[in-house]
Amino acid sequence: MQTDLIQEARRQAEICNACRYCEGYCSVFPSLHAERAFSDGDITQLANLCHNCRGCYYACQYTAPHEFDLNLPKALAEVRRNSWENFAWPQPLARRFHTHGGAIALALVIGFAMLLWAIRAIGSSGGGGFYAVLSHNAMVAIFAPAFLLPLFSIAISLRHYWFKVDGKPIQVSDLMAAFKHAGQMQDLAAGHGEGCNFEDEDRFSQARRHIHHAIMYGFLLCFASTSVATVMHYVFGLHAPYGFWSLPKLFGISGGLLLTVGCGAMAVLKQKSDRDLGDPSAWGGDIGVILLLGFVGFSGLVLFALVSTALMPALLAIHLGSVLTFFLLTPYSKMAHGFYRLAALIRDAQRKRDVSVVR
Amino acid sequence: MATQKEAYDIVVIGGGNAALCAAMTAAEAGARILILETAPKPYRGGNSRHTRNFRCMHKSPLGPLIEEYSEDEYLSDLLKVTGGKTDEHLARLAIRTSEECLPWMEEHGVRFQPSLSGTLSLARTNAFFMGGGKSLVNAYYRTAAGLGVDVLYEAAVTHLELNGDQIDWVNYTYEGQSHRIAPKAVIVASGGFQADTDWLTKAWGEPAKNFLIRGTPYNRGVVLADLLDQGVDSVGDPTQCHAVAIDGRAPKFDGGIVTRLDCVPFSIVVNKDAQRLYDEGEDVWPKRYAIWGRLVAAQPDQVGYVIIDAKSLNLFMPSVFPPLKAETLDELAGMMDLPADKLKTTVSEFNAACGDTSGFHPTELDGVATSGLTPPKTNWARPITEPPLYGYSLRTGVTFTYLGLKVDEAAQCSTSNGKIKNLWAAGETMVGSILGQGYLAGFGMTIGTVFGRIAGREAAAYAN
């Protein structure tokens, strides 16, 4: 951990703890107020609970030019990114993608190239639809590890996190509480449910919450599409291509639309926000991941629309190349935040449970 | 210097809660409003930026407030802290009107917190702003902008030209230039004079130089002095103010809420000669607020020193600056620059006077008292024995002054010749009309909201 980042966040947290005016805004403050002294693990946990809604910044009487110079969203964002870089496994891969959109773009090009190479070199063994371009077995051979390796990496990273924040054995009720919280994105609603301060200084708006919802549910629908197709393939022997009214297609198209629109809107929204209330050094990496994820959705839709044209093989390479890149980068990019946030919410549910037991 | 006549009906001087309530109310009545705020935008809002709650009468549960809080109970709470030094007619008006203010505040963008943790148990009497006073100020500026109210920041009003029974024009500086504007009506809501140390020293004497100012550095009383010099009726005692004992390491200005120390009831407090000065266990809150600021102000160098031991450290809200920490009284005395022998004598006398502490209860008056000690400690009296020992320094923190403009129930100002037909005042600048001494938590916001709305309504009626 970078001591100076932790130290600055700790300085600010101690001032917040003496003030407490923000306690109604989000999960960070009740958790912060439960302590009198903050270990590095406490600060890491607070950082990952923060959703950078900025409500506390605009409500704060101690922001610059005040000599206390509070900017908690920024301090926590910097600790958060730094913590992900430290928890990530394997380490050397971790540092680049959080901060460099260019690195993400380069990875994307490599992803396209790998898929094109696969299509040229392996090709089809005579299947239909997409399998006419790249055989089903080849796709599985490429994407199963591309999916499982990042998951394995994230699992190791989360173990590091869990150890750092002094996590306890997880109960079902912790999971339920965390998923409910994340599902509604309560921390982006401020205590009064009117959204966050992001794109227009202190005005409360639901824009970021709704857009983030679109991205999250879009992603989950796309994921569901692939999962359902896998089950249909292996369990029921129903092989692609699937018709429009099939579950994989319905999930995939709706998810792709949500992803494309959501990521586009998020990129626009981020342009309007004050970069200095987040982690300025992570700007490029954040935008890179948003555009990459939006491109995954968009290229999937284009592929669907032009599936019966001569462009299909090229579009397939582009789409699958972006999916491949996206999966492989997940443990080392902003995309990992979903996992950490969920872990932080589970830990916070445990903290609340402990408090209620004590009372 | 060109005189602007046409653009605005009403000029509101000040940019805090009272000014905004006045501006919004007048704008809703159709008046064209200009707010002249001395502070730059990040510091807008005066002391309202540092506030947290609004004391509100209610006959039945209202918004975040539970049960009921009647006019008579509210008034009796006020009479207790002011020792009866209040204008009961205006106080009742403020109290009675507070009930309709809460929904009005919500309609104008203020959001309240359902409940709070902390140590203050005011869920029945005080409604807490979600995010605190600055979020209230932000919401009001948004709403005011939506109503077409214009705001100039860093616009310092220098003079109001009083001519007989009316204000003819207002002089102000903005972006390095002097300006003159002649609106139909003027509302003054520019606070007290506590940030002008010279004025404070004139009123209090030399000790005032050691006072800390908890709130905005922009309340220097320029407009107040200008009006008083021209014979506008004043009210209030210049030595009366909302003063509390705060952390001695707090900034000179603008430290706000975080500089408060809640440790006094669990401590002994000594002056620089290591002598105790008052019953630390008299009460928790709000009495401590009313008393300790003035107690410390009366001590040599206007400082006090709080001493607690390890068993008390976690009984009060965390402090913004960590306490001094020592293993022995000698060491602590050295850190605080106190005479060590005297401190040891004071502590051992106190310890010896403590009796049975088994009834100790940190959140209520527990009657765990000293015997045969002067001054006594009448609650939470436990020997200071368990290392490490902790210390804080105390200084007097002034929130706002009470000397101000005298207003009537229409918030209108006057001279000895009668009412000034186009001048109204609201907020801390007229608070002395109601508060003679002492302070009741959340009452400043009540006065600001009630009289801000009255001033806005009356000024708009006049201007239209």
Side-chain angles (χ1 to χ4, degrees):
Chain A
M1 294 284 165
Q2 265 189 36
T3 322
D4 51 340
L5 294 182
I6 295 257
Q7 197 49 42
E8 171 59 11
R10 182 181 289 124
R11 178 190 77 84
Q12 300 198 21
E14 284 170 357
I15 296 173
C16 292
N17 207 10
C19 173
R20 304 199 173 191
Y21 281 14
C22 287
E23 71 174 290
Y25 272 147
C26 74
S27 302
V28 169
F29 295 98
S31 181
L32 193 162
H33 299 158
E35 306 290 337
R36 291 182 84 92
F38 303 98
S39 67
D40 290 4
D42 293 334
I43 295 291
T44 306
Q45 165 69 5
L46 292 175
N48 282 281
L49 267 183
C50 169
H51 218 305
N52 200 237
C53 80
R54 300 153 182 227
C56 63
Y57 177 86
Y58 288 107
C60 182
Q61 53 195 308
Y62 300 115
T63 53
H66 194 284
E67 64 189 86
F68 288 165
D69 192 19
L70 289 198
N71 185 345
L72 195 66
K74 179 182 184 173
L76 294 183
E78 291 179 334
V79 170
R80 191 160 60 237
R81 192 244 319 145
N82 184 244
S83 76
W84 300 340
E85 289 177 359
N86 281 284
F87 294 135
W89 178 88
Q91 265 293 306
L93 279 174
R95 305 243 162 227
R96 199 82 186 148
F97 298 110
H98 283 299
T99 48
H100 291 74
I104 293 172
L106 182 65
L108 183 63
V109 171
I110 295 171
F112 295 159
M114 284 168 69
L115 253 296
L116 271 175
W117 175 83
I119 286 168
R120 291 270 169 106
I122 304 168
S124 169
S125 50
F130 297 147
Y131 304 144
V133 180
L134 188 64
S135 73
H136 183 261
N137 284 346
M139 281 198 201
V140 171
I142 293 167
F143 280 92
F147 177 64
L148 293 174
L149 284 177
L151 276 188
F152 181 66
S153 165
I154 286 169
I156 291 176
S157 308
L158 287 178
R159 244 180 74 93
H160 291 156
Y161 178 78
W162 203 243
F163 183 74
K164 183 82 186 178
V165 302
D166 200 20
K168 306 284 185 288
I170 296 170
Q171 297 189 3
V172 176
S173 64
D174 302 335
L175 292 173
M176 301 273 284
F179 277 105
K180 180 167 177 256
H181 210 94
Q184 299 175 348
M185 263 168 230
Q186 286 171 10
D187 285 334
L188 281 184
H192 44 58
E194 289 171 26
C196 65
N197 299 144
F198 193 74
E199 67 277 18
D200 181 17
E201 296 188 349
D202 56 56
R203 183 171 67 88
F204 286 93
S205 140
Q206 300 281 11
R208 184 149 169 262
R209 187 167 174 230
H210 290 160
I211 290 167
H212 196 299
H213 262 140
I215 296 172
M216 183 176 80
Y217 288 109
F219 176 78
L220 292 175
L221 280 168
C222 291
F223 191 73
S225 163
T226 309
S227 306
V228 167
T230 306
V231 170
M232 286 166 72
H233 183 94
Y234 286 107
V235 179
F236 299 103
L238 297 166
H239 296 176
Y242 303 109
F244 183 84
W245 295 107
S246 65
L247 280 179
K249 276 285 189 295
L250 291 177
F251 284 161
I253 292 166
S254 57
L257 283 169
L258 282 172
L259 264 191
T260 307
V261 172
C263 290
M266 188 64 96
V268 172
L269 204 66
K270 267 184 95 72
Q271 300 289 342
K272 293 184 189 169
S273 71
D274 184 345
R275 292 188 196 190
D276 201 45
L277 303 193
D279 177 356
S281 67
W283 174 264
D286 286 1
I287 281 285
V289 167
I290 291 167
L291 294 178
L292 171 60
L293 186 54
F295 187 76
V296 167
F298 178 71
S299 59
L301 291 176
V302 172
L303 180 62
F304 168 72
L306 303 179
V307 69
S308 52
T309 70
L311 290 171
M312 189 273 271
L315 288 171
L316 183 69
I318 288 171
H319 177 63
L320 291 183
S322 66
V323 173
L324 182 74
T325 308
F326 174 77
F327 275 153
L328 290 174
L329 291 191
T330 290
Y332 317 112
S333 67
K334 178 66 180 279
M335 198 52 201
H337 83 279
F339 295 94
Y340 285 104
R341 169 125 23 249
L342 210 48
L345 287 170
I346 292 168
R347 180 70 193 97
D348 200 46
Q350 296 183 335
R351 180 191 65 78
K352 287 184 201 150
R353 179 157 54 78
D354 285 351
V355 171
S356 61
V357 168
V358 170
R359 277 179 186 159
Chain B
M1 184 158 45
T3 303
Q4 275 190 34
K5 260 191 187 313
E6 300 304 321
Y8 297 103
D9 298 315
I10 301 172
V11 162
V12 177
I13 303 169
N17 171 56
L20 292 160
C21 288
M24 288 185 289
T25 305
E28 281 170 340
R32 294 161 303 172
I33 316 292
L34 175 67
I35 290 179
L36 297 175
E37 161 66 310
T38 326
K41 190 181 172 195
Y43 276 128
R44 69 183 181 185
N47 279 340
S48 308
R49 221 172 92 241
H50 292 300
T51 61
R52 188 184 195 183
N53 58 66
F54 170 79
R55 186 173 286 254
C56 185
M57 173 192 128
H58 50 108
K59 298 189 192 81
S60 54
L62 175 68
L65 297 164
I66 55 169
E67 298 166 17
E68 68 151 351
Y69 186 45
S70 71
E71 181 179 333
D72 287 340
E73 188 187 355
Y74 196 150
L75 185 71
S76 98
D77 285 346
L78 181 65
L79 292 175
K80 254 182 264 170
V81 296
T82 57
K85 287 189 185 169
T86 183
D87 178 326
E88 187 173 329
H89 177 66
L90 292 184
R92 278 191 186 272
L93 172 66
I95 290 168
R96 213 175 295 136
T97 314
S98 69
E99 189 168 24
E100 67 177 56
C101 285
L102 192 139
W104 183 90
M105 293 163 83
E106 287 181 321
E107 282 162 27
H108 291 77
V110 178
R111 294 294 171 264
F112 292 97
Q113 258 177 209
S115 66
L116 59 139
S117 56
T119 56
L120 313 176
S121 51
L122 298 163
R124 191 170 65 85
T125 56
N126 290 51
F128 285 70
F129 315 133
M130 183 86 76
K134 190 170 168 191
S135 66
L136 169 139
V137 166
N138 290 343
Y140 279 167
Y141 274 102
R142 286 264 166 200
T143 305
L147 291 166
V149 172
D150 287 337
V151 181
L152 293 183
Y153 298 106
E154 299 180 66
V157 173
T158 52
H159 176 61
L160 273 63
E161 180 70 15
L162 175 63
N163 186 6
D165 65 349
Q166 72 166 7
I167 300 294
D168 279 350
W169 69 75
V170 175
N171 288 348
Y172 65 98
T173 58
Y174 180 65
E175 292 183 338
Q177 305 258 316
S178 296
H179 298 266
R180 173 170 292 178
I181 185 168
K184 294 176 192 160
V186 179
I187 297 169
V188 182
S190 48
F193 63 86
Q194 65 280 355
D196 180 344
T197 308
D198 291 341
W199 191 346
L200 214 54
T201 309
K202 230 186 310 171
W204 273 80
E206 286 298 302
K209 289 188 176 158
N210 287 328
F211 293 173
L212 304 175
I213 309 306
R214 299 182 80 207
T216 177
Y218 295 95
N219 283 5
R220 291 186 286 257
V222 176
V223 174
L224 179 61
D226 177 63
L227 290 173
L228 296 183
D229 286 348
Q230 296 179 76
V232 178
D233 285 343
S234 76
V235 66
D237 172 348
T239 71
Q240 288 299 336
C241 59
H242 174 15
V244 301
I246 59 173
D247 197 310
R249 297 160 293 181
K252 176 72 180 172
F253 291 103
D254 220 33
I257 186 71
V258 299
T259 60
R260 62 124 165 54
L261 285 174
D262 287 344
C263 50
V264 168
F266 308 115
S267 74
I268 62 166
V269 178
V270 299
N271 61 17
K272 63 178 280 196
D273 302 323
Q275 287 171 326
R276 285 180 62 243
L277 38 127
Y278 193 81
D279 177 4
E280 300 88 350
E282 185 180 57
D283 207 341
V284 191
W285 196 97
K287 250 193 162 170
R288 184 196 70 235
Y289 270 173
I291 286 171
W292 283 93
R294 290 182 163 266
L295 286 172
V296 170
Q299 298 302 313
D301 291 350
Q302 295 70 53
V303 286
Y305 300 91
V306 184
I307 294 158
I308 58 171
D309 67 359
K311 59 184 178 286
S312 296
L313 186 67
N314 291 337
L315 296 177
F316 53 91
M317 289 272 282
S319 55
V320 70
F321 304 109
L324 300 172
K325 182 178 173 183
E327 288 302 315
T328 65
L329 273 177
D330 272 311
E331 194 189 337
L332 193 63
M335 295 169 97
M336 293 175 144
D337 213 11
L338 293 173
D341 291 343
K342 275 196 175 173
L343 182 64
K344 282 192 283 191
T345 309
T346 301
V347 171
S348 59
E349 281 172 7
F350 170 78
N351 288 352
C354 292
D356 177 14
T357 60
S358 60
F360 176 79
H361 198 295
T363 55
E364 54 193 60
L365 295 171
D366 62 3
V368 172
T370 56
S371 55
L373 188 70
T374 315
K377 186 174 182 191
T378 51
N379 290 289
W380 311 293
R382 294 193 298 177
I384 292 172
T385 48
E386 192 181 311
L389 306 173
Y390 296 95
Y392 290 96
S393 61
L394 290 179
R395 284 190 182 276
T396 301
V398 178
T399 309
F400 58 92
T401 48
Y402 290 177
L403 172 78
L405 303 173
K406 183 177 170 56
V407 299
D408 62 10
E409 62 181 28
Q412 198 163 6
C413 298
S414 53
T415 65
S416 53
N417 298 324
K419 288 178 183 171
I420 303 171
K421 66 185 186 187
N422 65 346
L423 183 66
W424 288 265
E428 288 172 359
T429 205
M430 48 63 71
V431 80
S433 301
I434 298 173
L435 272 171
Q437 69 173 43
Y439 187 68
L440 195 57
F443 196 48
M445 290 301 276
T446 307
I447 293 172
T449 308
V450 169
F451 281 87
R453 291 174 65 216
I454 292 173
R457 185 191 69 207
E458 297 292 321
Y462 174 82
N464 288 343

